[in-house]
Amino acid sequence: MQEYKRWYDHDPLLLKVINLLKDYQDELKEQAELFLSSIEEKVSKEAIDKFYQLVKPINGGSRWYDKDPVISKTVELLRVVPQDVQHQAAQTFIETLLRNGIKVD
């Protein structure tokens, strides 16, 4: 089994989503909110908020995505779900971007 440096390196599509979020946080915040809303429909907002409180770094954190709670929740959710769900979520995120006219190349 291959070892990866970062948790998202195993899937090129997931890597693309993470890099898009990292490079275009402000521009993609609305899309991240839509993504979280779709997850909330399946799980519940309370469950996501409770989960996020468990993983949120104390004192704000120093990771690139810790600056914005929406982006942070999105990345943390992607990080903890199983790999097949990560891929499906990444695919859905990319499709949403394309439907909204956002270039993802």
Side-chain angles (χ1 to χ4, degrees):
M1 187 172 178
Q2 185 172 355
E3 295 278 328
Y4 295 98
K5 183 176 178 181
R6 299 170 300 197
W7 61 267
Y8 47 85
D9 285 338
H10 69 91
D11 184 337
L13 190 60
L14 183 61
L15 177 61
K16 184 177 198 170
V17 168
I18 295 298
N19 285 331
L20 284 168
L21 286 169
K22 184 177 182 180
D23 295 340
Y24 303 102
Q25 287 182 54
D26 293 337
E27 295 88 340
L28 296 180
K29 183 175 178 175
E30 184 177 328
Q31 303 305 321
E33 287 173 336
L34 291 173
F35 172 75
L36 287 175
S37 294
S38 71
I39 299 294
E40 288 170 1
E41 289 174 11
K42 296 173 184 157
V43 180
S44 84
K45 182 175 181 358
E46 294 77 26
I48 290 173
D49 289 344
K50 194 178 289 188
F51 156 77
Y52 185 63
Q53 289 304 316
L54 293 173
V55 298
K56 185 171 77 170
I58 298 171
N59 298 327
S62 59
R63 302 169 296 193
W64 63 266
Y65 55 88
D66 289 331
K67 298 170 191 157
D68 183 285
V70 171
I71 301 296
S72 184
K73 281 182 186 180
T74 301
V75 173
E76 286 298 338
L77 279 171
L78 286 171
R79 182 178 66 85
V80 300
V81 296
Q83 287 185 358
D84 60 325
V85 177
Q86 286 175 340
H87 183 82
Q88 184 180 15
Q91 182 68 43
T92 300
F93 195 83
I94 293 290
E95 288 170 2
T96 301
L97 294 177
L98 292 172
R99 271 195 308 272
N100 289 304
I102 298 171
K103 199 171 184 177
V104 294
D105 293 332

